[in-house]
Amino acid sequence: EKTKESVLSKLSRAIAGKSRVDDDVLDNLEEALIMSDVGVETTVKIIERIQDRVARNKYMGTEELNAILKDEIVNLLEENNSVYNNKVTYGDEKKPYVIMVVGVNGVGKTTTIGKLAAQLTNNGKKVYLGAADTFRAAAIEQLTVWAERSKSTIIKQQMGSDPASVAFDTLSSAKKNDADVVIIDTAGRLHNKINLMNELSKIKNVMQKVIPDAPHEVLLVLDGSTGQNAFEQAKQFTKATDVTALALTKLDGTAKGGVVLGISDQFKIPVKFIGVGEGIDDLQLFDRKTFVESLFNI
Amino acid sequence: MFENLSDRLDRAFKLLKGEGKITDINVAETVKDIRKALLDADVSYKVAKNFTDDVKKKALGQDVLNSVKPGQMMTKIVHDELVQLMGGEMVDIDIKGSPAVILIAGLQGSGKTTFSGKLASFIKSKKGRQPLLVAGDVYRPAAIQQLKILGEQISVPVYTEEGSKNPVEIAKNAIKFAKDNGHNVVIVDTAGRLAVDEAMMQEVENIKKAVNPSEILFVVDSMTGQDAVNTAKEFNDRLNFDGVVLTKLDGDTRGGAALSIRSVVDKPIKFVSAGEKMDALQVFHPERMADRILGMGDIVTLVEKA
Ligand SMILES: Nc1nc2c(ncn2[C@@H]2O[C@H](COP(=O)(O)OP(=O)(O)OP(=O)(O)O)[C@@H](O)[C@H]2O)c(=O)[nH]1
Ligand SMILES: Nc1nc2c(ncn2[C@@H]2O[C@H](COP(=O)(O)OP(=O)(O)OP(=O)(O)O)[C@@H](O)[C@H]2O)c(=O)[nH]1
Ligand SMILES: [Mg+2]
Ligand SMILES: [Mg+2]
């Protein structure tokens, strides 16, 4: 926005007329990264890499520094499985392909499921949704609306029923009816609540009674405006459910979601989707380069 | 994940044992550590910078007593400063007026609807008033249903207009309904919105104009990172809210957003939400929050009722 200068122009100003990366430049870079929620540790790591590269092949000007910078940051982001690069391909090989969606409260799990289901049904896939959030008020009704919008089939029970049993029913029904993709919604839970985390492992185990290698994907949804706590979320959810992919939501706001740089690097989990709104079409495939660009265009 | 700040500072100060006073040179490393602790806790970059500059000024010239650990002394300076920044007198909510109108606003998923339910329950049981909840979110799928279920759980009526797409009208009608039916506090839940969404920000301003609330509360997720200051500032510019509600403090976030918001908009934090159940509502304790931001444990205040 107007009040804020883009990081690159700030950096350019800091670099202008200088022949090497000095403290001023690094301070500006640090500020930019911290303000995008990259976190101190990852920021230090990036700055060290820049210093290394500059020491090796003395840079000439702003252009080169910018290029090196983006390059180093892109490298922190785990590469997506190539099949996901330009299209959602769930259900092309395994049938039904089972996705379990997890995350803390209110990050956008249910909405992301609705959007993803819509993309899949648009690609001609038969999609089943499992309403395994049986806890939050009207969570089942919310997913029901998304099932209608996305033309998928929802399997549900009463509020308060056993989520593992809902997951079991969903997989059984999907298998019987030859569905291509199953997506299981789960209740939001804070990662420091041991009982709730154990419940996730139980849901997973029960699914394997129907489909032995399910779930094929465990999608952890992170809110793009979350700060350093997202690290702990990634750590604890990975411990409980072997997270295989990340979705980063609410990037249509001013938050940058920079915390995923460190998460993706440390846990080697690719970011596959980004949420950019509340509408059914507001789910995009994650692109490393575009993401890094946007980090620098405050 | 984070090392305790106090331990870190003790380590940093080991070197200056016996040097007597804290000087410009020997304090530099320490200030860096404090800054890192604050940034790890998601305190805004600028707030953290100003804060450490102030602390540095305060620390300079202080005696490093051989009997106390200098790290502890420094931590105390930092801690007291944090408390002061977030503290002040506890400010109660304003529920005078007939009916008193409380407007709830904030980003998507921050915990507005859940808090609305909790607040209604609090007002009913602790203040002995007759609240009415108003379903003013006409966008999110099943938002109305969600509030209805919460209302049932706490036995507080919920005013709804299924099918209406006009929250301003709904809020106005709800107040008339409240007057006619003996409700003296009206709590208006609204849809989540981003500060950059001009149409939605305009909408909430219109709701404010239409119902003239005695209290506007800004609900913010305590896990929020650096963006907390932008959002709080934008909402405050548009609504001039009266207080802040920090949610999801039953997690393990350090919650530095609390400090950032307080410093940027200078509005009191009035409630703390720490759980999904309707009774998980507390008043805000600046002391505990300061401990928490510094990583000194905040177990006392956590309600572990998963
Ligand atoms: N602006 C924006 N809002 C989003 C996005 N994704 C989800 N939301 C909104 O965030 C709020 C929470 O979304 P949900 O899908 O209910 O989140 P959840 O993780 O399922 O929540 P719980 O089940 O309660 O834990 C809703 O108001 C959504 O419309 C996004 O990408 N951008
Ligand atoms: N653990 C925990 N969860 C909470 C707390 N407050 C709210 N939640 C959960 O967070 C999620 C979102 O809460 P809502 O009350 O629906 O949030 P909202 O701001 O109304 O969301 P939108 O209307 O979609 O913008 C739900 O799963 C709630 O149960 C809290 O203090 N602790
Ligand atoms: Mg949900
Ligand atoms: Mg709501």
Side-chain angles (χ1 to χ4, degrees):
Chain A
E1 280 190 324
K2 301 135 258 153
T3 46
K4 272 178 282 161
E5 206 180 353
S6 96
V7 177
L8 285 188
S9 60
K10 223 174 178 178
L11 277 182
S12 309
R13 204 155 36 79
I15 298 167
K18 290 175 186 162
S19 58
R20 49 180 211 91
V21 177
D22 62 11
D23 286 351
D24 215 25
V25 176
L26 294 180
D27 281 354
N28 273 297
L29 179 56
E30 182 198 71
E31 177 177 349
L33 293 171
I34 299 279
M35 283 180 63
S36 303
D37 288 318
V38 171
V40 177
E41 219 127 288
T42 311
T43 296
V44 168
K45 193 167 171 177
I46 292 169
I47 288 182
E48 277 170 359
R49 287 201 200 186
I50 303 282
Q51 281 175 314
D52 266 10
R53 288 220 3 206
V54 170
R56 261 184 287 125
N57 42 353
K58 309 250 181 240
Y59 83 97
M60 316 302 273
T62 324
E63 298 280 300
E64 282 90 341
L65 179 70
N66 289 345
I68 291 174
L69 187 58
K70 284 181 190 165
D71 208 40
E72 288 297 347
I73 298 178
V74 165
N75 284 340
L76 289 176
L77 287 163
E78 186 75 359
E79 187 114 43
N80 292 1
N81 184 337
S82 60
V83 293
Y84 295 100
N85 273 348
N86 26 30
K87 135 174 189 315
V88 184
T89 54
Y90 293 125
D92 282 357
E93 281 154 27
K94 286 198 173 111
K95 242 182 103 163
Y97 188 91
V98 180
I99 306 168
M100 177 168 155
V101 180
V102 301
V104 301
N105 306 82
V107 289
K109 295 175 292 299
T110 307
T111 308
T112 302
I113 291 170
K115 298 173 190 172
L116 179 58
Q119 291 199 6
L120 290 162
T121 54
N122 281 342
N123 291 345
K125 296 283 191 294
K126 188 172 180 180
V127 180
Y128 271 56
L129 304 181
D133 178 356
T134 59
F135 178 74
R136 215 214 56 220
I140 300 167
E141 289 86 343
Q142 186 188 3
L143 191 69
T144 304
V145 171
W146 279 110
E148 279 159 19
R149 287 183 183 171
S150 65
K151 303 183 179 65
S152 346
T153 305
I154 184 168
I155 304 294
K156 58 188 171 186
Q157 295 180 13
Q158 295 295 308
M159 184 178 173
S161 57
D162 176 20
S165 150
V166 177
F168 184 90
D169 282 1
T170 313
L171 266 61
S172 310
S173 180
K175 202 173 161 184
K176 201 171 72 206
N177 294 295
D178 218 24
D180 298 299
V181 182
V182 176
I183 313 178
I184 304 291
D185 190 15
T186 63
R189 66 200 73 222
L190 292 173
H191 51 280
N192 59 339
K193 308 215 164 154
I194 295 161
N195 293 341
L196 294 179
M197 295 307 278
N198 287 342
E199 183 187 85
L200 284 183
S201 319
K202 187 187 156 205
I203 296 173
K204 231 178 123 169
N205 292 339
V206 168
M207 286 199 263
Q208 289 166 354
K209 291 189 183 151
V210 189
I211 299 169
D213 60 346
H216 307 101
E217 181 97 291
V218 177
L219 183 66
L220 172 66
V221 181
L222 299 172
D223 184 324
S225 60
T226 301
Q228 299 310 300
N229 192 250
F231 252 103
E232 209 55 25
Q233 294 173 22
K235 189 168 159 194
Q236 300 305 333
F237 276 98
T238 300
K239 216 159 126 192
T241 58
D242 296 315
V243 173
T244 56
L246 303 173
L248 191 61
T249 62
K250 309 184 193 175
L251 289 183
D252 44 329
T254 41
K256 295 290 174 186
V259 67
V260 294
L261 291 185
I263 292 175
S264 184
D265 182 49
Q266 184 174 330
F267 301 100
K268 302 294 168 214
I269 307 169
V271 185
K272 287 194 177 169
F273 304 101
I274 58 169
V276 292
E278 300 184 77
I280 197 161
D281 299 322
D282 295 327
L283 186 74
Q284 298 172 0
L285 291 162
F286 177 77
D287 178 67
R288 298 197 295 171
K289 295 227 167 59
T290 317
F291 181 75
V292 172
E293 287 293 334
S294 85
L295 274 185
F296 289 101
N297 292 315
I298 294 180
Chain B
M1 128 170 88
F2 305 112
E3 200 186 344
N4 187 316
L5 179 70
S6 175
D7 293 343
R8 236 152 64 183
L9 293 187
D10 268 337
R11 205 160 21 77
F13 270 109
K14 272 228 174 72
L15 301 164
L16 34 129
K17 265 275 164 77
E19 278 188 32
K21 281 186 190 305
I22 296 180
T23 67
D24 219 354
I25 304 155
N26 64 30
V27 87
E29 270 305 304
T30 314
V31 167
K32 232 168 135 182
D33 264 352
I34 296 167
R35 200 171 143 265
K36 178 165 189 303
L38 296 175
L39 293 176
D40 279 347
D42 294 315
V43 172
S44 131
Y45 184 86
K46 286 186 180 121
V47 172
K49 190 166 183 310
N50 293 338
F51 182 83
T52 44
D53 288 349
D54 287 349
V55 165
K56 192 171 160 185
K57 269 183 229 141
K58 285 236 158 82
L60 284 179
Q62 296 242 12
D63 289 321
V64 180
L65 300 173
N66 275 323
S67 51
V68 289
K69 291 183 169 173
Q72 276 176 6
M73 191 188 80
M74 195 69 186
T75 310
K76 190 176 174 337
I77 296 176
V78 175
H79 181 266
D80 292 352
E81 198 72 0
L82 280 181
V83 171
Q84 215 209 317
L85 263 177
M86 290 186 293
E89 289 290 292
M90 232 316 279
V91 196
D92 208 359
I93 46 162
D94 181 357
I95 48 170
K96 293 187 290 289
S98 55
V101 180
I102 306 175
L103 180 64
I104 312 294
L107 294 183
Q108 285 93 347
S110 54
K112 296 175 296 301
T113 305
T114 308
F115 171 73
S116 300
K118 290 177 182 179
L119 182 64
S121 171
F122 172 85
I123 283 173
K124 190 179 153 189
S125 62
K126 300 269 159 55
K127 305 264 178 188
R129 306 288 290 263
Q130 282 76 50
L132 174 72
L133 282 162
V134 182
D137 178 355
V138 299
Y139 308 102
R140 170 175 167 167
I144 298 173
Q145 186 60 23
Q146 184 187 2
L147 195 64
K148 270 187 177 169
I149 292 174
L150 297 179
E152 244 162 65
Q153 286 176 7
I154 56 172
S155 305
V156 168
V158 180
Y159 182 85
T160 65
E161 289 183 17
E162 303 292 333
S164 163
K165 286 284 166 227
N166 189 341
V168 178
E169 282 303 314
I170 294 173
K172 272 202 270 193
N173 297 342
I175 288 169
K176 181 167 187 315
F177 178 91
K179 281 182 183 155
D180 294 348
N181 291 275
H183 297 287
N184 44 26
V185 180
V186 177
I187 301 168
V188 184
D189 182 27
T190 62
R193 65 201 74 224
L194 294 170
V196 289
D197 190 334
E198 180 49 37
M200 288 296 283
M201 290 307 281
Q202 189 60 55
E203 179 198 90
V204 72
E205 257 187 83
N206 293 344
I207 299 176
K208 175 185 173 177
K209 273 186 212 135
V211 301
N212 188 28
S214 52
E215 189 90 15
I216 302 176
L217 296 175
F218 173 63
V219 178
V220 63
D221 186 327
S222 60
M223 293 177 278
T224 311
Q226 296 288 321
D227 194 50
V229 284
N230 302 333
T231 308
K233 210 176 156 303
E234 288 290 328
F235 272 81
N236 195 46
D237 286 351
R238 301 298 287 253
L239 294 174
N240 189 19
F241 56 69
D242 301 282
V244 177
V245 179
L246 268 186
T247 64
K248 308 180 197 173
L249 267 175
D250 45 331
D252 59 2
T253 180
R254 289 268 177 102
L259 176 67
S260 310
I261 291 173
R262 182 70 213 227
S263 333
V264 171
V265 299
D266 197 29
K267 295 286 169 70
I269 298 169
K270 293 201 172 179
F271 289 101
V272 160
S273 204
E276 296 190 73
K277 306 250 171 74
M278 284 297 101
D279 58 357
L281 187 68
Q282 299 158 18
V283 291
F284 176 72
H285 294 285
E287 299 264 347
R288 294 181 191 167
M289 200 64 214
D291 285 351
R292 186 175 180 133
I293 290 173
L294 296 176
M296 292 158 74
D298 185 34
I299 298 116
V300 230
T301 183
L302 294 185
V303 217
E304 274 296 323
K305 283 186 286 179

